[in-house]
Amino acid sequence: MKGAVWRLQWAVALRRRRLLWWNLLVPALLLVPVALSGAASVHKTVVFTLFVAFFGAYGSCIPLIRDGDSGWSEKVLLTGYGARSWLIERLLASTVLDWVQLIPVSLVLVWLARGRLADAAPVLATLAMALLFANLLGTVVAALVRSLAEAALGCAIVCLVALHLAGVFRTPAADTWAGTAARISPFRPLLEAWRRGASAGPEGWIPPLLALAVAAVFFVSAAGLLGRRMAEKQAV
Amino acid sequence: MFPSPPVVGSGLTFSYGRGPPVLAEVGLTLHEGEVLGLVGANGSGKTTLLRLIAGRLRPQAGTLAVTIPDPAVVFDRLPFQESLTGAENVRATLALRGRKRAADRQIGERSLSDFGLAQASNQTVSAYSFGMRRRLALAEALASEPFLLLLDEPTVGLDPLGRDSLTTALEQVSARGGAVLAATNDADFAERCCSRVLLMHLGKVVAEGPPDSLIADLEAPTIITVEFTGPGPMGSPPGGLATLNTAPASPPAAPAPASRATEFSSSTGTAALADLCAWFTAAGAEISTVHVREPGLADVLRSVAGVGLEAGHQGMIDAHAAPSP
């Protein structure tokens, strides 16, 4: 891995300051009113998790489609940069950027719920994992669709299914396949961290190692497969 | 150095999906130090052949050996990071190619300067015109000092200065042993810059050779157009010339005096030009313009495409025949 794509992603993101500010402001404008509302905390955390999933998935999918349409992705691959390295660096840069952009609003939400920031660490840690997974979902969608319209629809469907499987919309019984799916979903730890951090829930947090392992395996295997698929897609 | 020749292909066949073949058993060899032009009408398969060589498509039949890895490529699309400056884009491309040394940066800056972008190098690309983007794409490609350069329609959007820069750059690539393959519709560019040309038509290579040789093989006449006022000469023109067409330079309904344009084909080039002018003068005509058009690669292209040479010349006659404002 040469790191050129990673550096380029950051250079472009930092140069596009307007977009950077929007990505800091929009989450706050959408989520803070929800946090201040009188909705039940279980509903608030669903909204928070849903937002993170969409933020990550759209944030990786749409630029990939756009760069594919403009020919930029093909240009990068034509320099001899490996498709896998290109995709992994892009994904990691996009995930870290998303994470950095969501840190402020996450801290605000935790502070609004509990009046202190001591419980923010689990939220921020699981936020990174959820964003990595959401970015991967967005990349999967980008590899399969042919237009921005399809991408928008695809991201919505894939995210909602993934969130449903994570037990975000309902709590499945632990001894069922749905319970197992929810337990290993990389979105689930974020939901639980929100419930602890952004509500008056129970104290304590156990690192979600299983979900972390699932995210890592999914990331490595998907990046390899998707890199090849994306490279072929740019060619035609 | 790399094994020579840099590109050897034979029997290359390709079609998109289930459509008809875009390339049918195409063969080519690109030698070191050569600037090879792929010349053909739209849809003749030039870009597809270029994409096969760039490794972006795989031939469905035939063999293709490209011995130089990761050639520098400028396709018809010109993608850049719009929010970065021209210089930053060049540096990014060099970094993607694994070239990050200070010397590489200097080469990038020199390449921008060679293409007349020194002053604009610190502007964001979003402010660049189409021609500047074309220059930037070429500067980027050449900054990596490639041994194999693939260009698709490199002259589109370039002004004469940009064309000169391109010509110089291609000469430099060729001089250091690099090879260039340029797909183009621009017959003038191909004549000027390419040491050899492959003429493509409907997915096949129909002629191959140095531009001069292809033009000579066509045995096309030189076209001389004389625009004059007053009485025109009668009878046959001087030796070696044949009258092709006479067209009034103003509409028939317009009042006299009408200037007229007469077109001659010459099998002896411009040798009979003086005799021709004397012939007109002797008849009392006043010559206003003499236009000489030597046969070129565009005529070879028309011939290959099955379009008569008259089609190419007719436009010129029409232009001469148009009434003066």
Side-chain angles (χ1 to χ4, degrees):
Chain A
M1 198 181 291
K2 293 180 269 187
V5 171
W6 163 274
R7 285 192 296 276
L8 185 59
Q9 291 292 111
W10 276 93
V12 170
L14 294 175
R15 185 61 59 83
R16 299 171 73 186
R17 291 200 189 97
R18 190 166 168 269
L19 184 64
L20 206 60
W21 280 112
W22 273 115
N23 282 342
L24 287 165
L25 272 176
V26 168
L29 290 172
L30 288 173
L31 299 183
V32 170
V34 174
L36 291 172
S37 73
S41 67
V42 68
H43 295 144
K44 288 180 186 174
T45 55
V46 168
V47 174
F48 299 161
T49 311
L50 187 77
F51 180 85
V52 169
F54 279 13
F55 192 83
Y58 281 104
S60 69
C61 184
I62 289 173
L64 266 172
I65 300 274
R66 189 195 59 212
D67 287 352
D69 288 347
S70 73
W72 174 259
S73 301
E74 182 177 45
K75 181 174 170 177
V76 172
L77 296 171
L78 278 168
T79 62
Y81 214 85
R84 193 170 174 210
S85 299
W86 162 66
L87 201 60
I88 287 176
E89 289 180 39
R90 245 194 108 113
L91 266 170
L92 288 177
S94 171
T95 301
V96 176
L97 271 164
D98 287 350
W99 186 66
V100 168
Q101 288 166 349
L102 288 183
I103 284 177
V105 74
S106 300
L107 294 176
V108 170
L109 295 181
V110 171
W111 186 79
L112 285 175
R114 307 194 62 137
R116 61 196 169 101
L117 294 177
D119 300 314
V123 168
L124 296 184
T126 54
L127 176 67
M129 186 168 65
L131 281 171
L132 178 62
F133 188 58
N135 271 268
L136 265 172
L137 292 181
T139 305
V140 170
V141 172
L144 297 176
V145 302
R146 289 183 177 270
S147 69
L148 272 179
E150 285 181 22
L153 191 63
C155 280
I157 292 170
V158 167
C159 283
L160 289 173
V161 169
L163 289 166
H164 177 68
L165 289 174
V168 172
F169 304 121
R170 52 75 176 109
T171 305
D175 54 352
T176 61
W177 72 267
T180 306
R183 207 160 46 246
I184 64 171
S185 167
F187 284 139
R188 184 76 196 177
L190 177 64
L191 181 75
E192 290 178 357
W194 279 128
R195 283 179 180 166
R196 289 187 182 90
S199 69
E203 298 288 339
W205 179 64
I206 303 164
L209 295 178
L210 189 57
L212 191 63
V214 168
V217 169
F218 188 70
F219 174 73
V220 171
S221 53
L225 291 171
L226 290 173
R228 214 164 31 241
R229 161 71 190 155
M230 291 298 286
E232 285 165 4
K233 194 181 168 204
Q234 305 308 322
V236 180
Chain B
M1 283 304 288
F2 297 98
S4 185
V7 179
V8 181
S10 67
L12 296 170
T13 301
F14 186 85
S15 56
Y16 291 98
R18 293 180 182 175
V22 180
L23 289 177
E25 298 191 358
V26 170
L28 86 162
T29 304
L30 176 62
H31 300 280
E32 271 181 28
E34 186 175 42
V35 181
L36 177 61
L38 292 175
V39 180
N42 297 331
S44 57
K46 307 184 297 290
T47 299
T48 302
L49 182 55
L50 215 55
R51 296 180 85 83
L52 285 179
I53 294 165
R56 301 307 298 147
L57 298 172
R58 290 196 193 110
Q60 287 149 355
T63 58
L64 177 64
V66 181
T67 58
I68 296 178
D70 308 325
V73 182
V74 179
F75 280 147
D76 51 346
R77 288 191 293 180
L78 305 173
F80 297 104
Q81 287 298 339
E82 301 280 325
S83 54
L84 301 184
T85 66
E88 286 168 336
N89 267 279
V90 171
R91 284 201 289 273
T93 305
L94 286 170
L96 289 168
R97 288 185 169 276
R99 300 181 59 164
K100 291 180 288 186
R101 294 172 304 148
D104 294 325
R105 282 184 156 217
Q106 283 175 359
I107 293 168
E109 283 163 18
R110 198 174 63 222
S111 188
L112 281 165
S113 176
D114 287 346
F115 279 91
L117 291 173
Q119 292 204 325
S121 65
N122 290 321
Q123 281 177 24
T124 55
V125 172
S126 58
Y128 277 28
S129 68
F130 179 73
M132 290 166 80
R133 285 164 189 264
R134 176 69 65 182
R135 287 170 181 239
L136 179 59
L138 292 165
E140 260 185 6
L142 287 152
S144 59
E145 298 182 308
F147 277 95
L148 177 57
L149 178 61
L150 306 176
L151 304 173
D152 194 5
E153 302 295 354
T155 57
V156 172
L158 282 186
D159 57 24
L161 293 175
R163 283 168 172 250
D164 291 344
S165 302
L166 176 61
T167 305
T168 307
L170 296 189
E171 284 167 359
Q172 287 169 355
V173 172
S174 173
R176 60 180 158 78
V180 180
L181 183 60
T184 183
N185 280 318
D186 187 339
D188 289 339
F189 163 75
E191 264 183 70
R192 193 155 57 118
C193 294
C194 298
S195 45
R196 194 161 58 92
V197 162
L198 294 187
L199 275 178
M200 295 191 66
H201 185 57
L202 300 177
K204 293 182 177 176
V205 175
V206 291
E208 180 179 351
D212 291 347
S213 163
L214 289 172
I215 294 164
D217 289 349
L218 185 66
E219 295 180 350
T222 300
I223 306 297
I224 301 172
T225 306
V226 179
E227 199 172 306
F228 63 97
T229 53
M234 304 292 286
S236 301
L241 293 168
T243 307
L244 282 179
N245 203 350
T246 301
S250 55
S259 71
R260 288 181 291 167
T262 303
E263 192 179 55
F264 302 91
S265 71
S266 167
S267 56
T268 56
T270 55
L273 193 56
D275 289 343
L276 182 66
C277 292
W279 185 53
F280 269 87
T281 310
E286 190 174 333
I287 296 172
S288 53
T289 314
V290 176
H291 186 92
V292 177
R293 184 173 178 276
E294 300 281 3
L297 209 51
D299 297 308
V300 181
L301 187 59
R302 288 190 191 97
S303 165
V304 162
V307 181
L309 291 179
E310 304 77 28
H313 302 322
Q314 191 59 49
M316 194 170 68
I317 295 167
D318 292 345
H320 278 280
S324 305

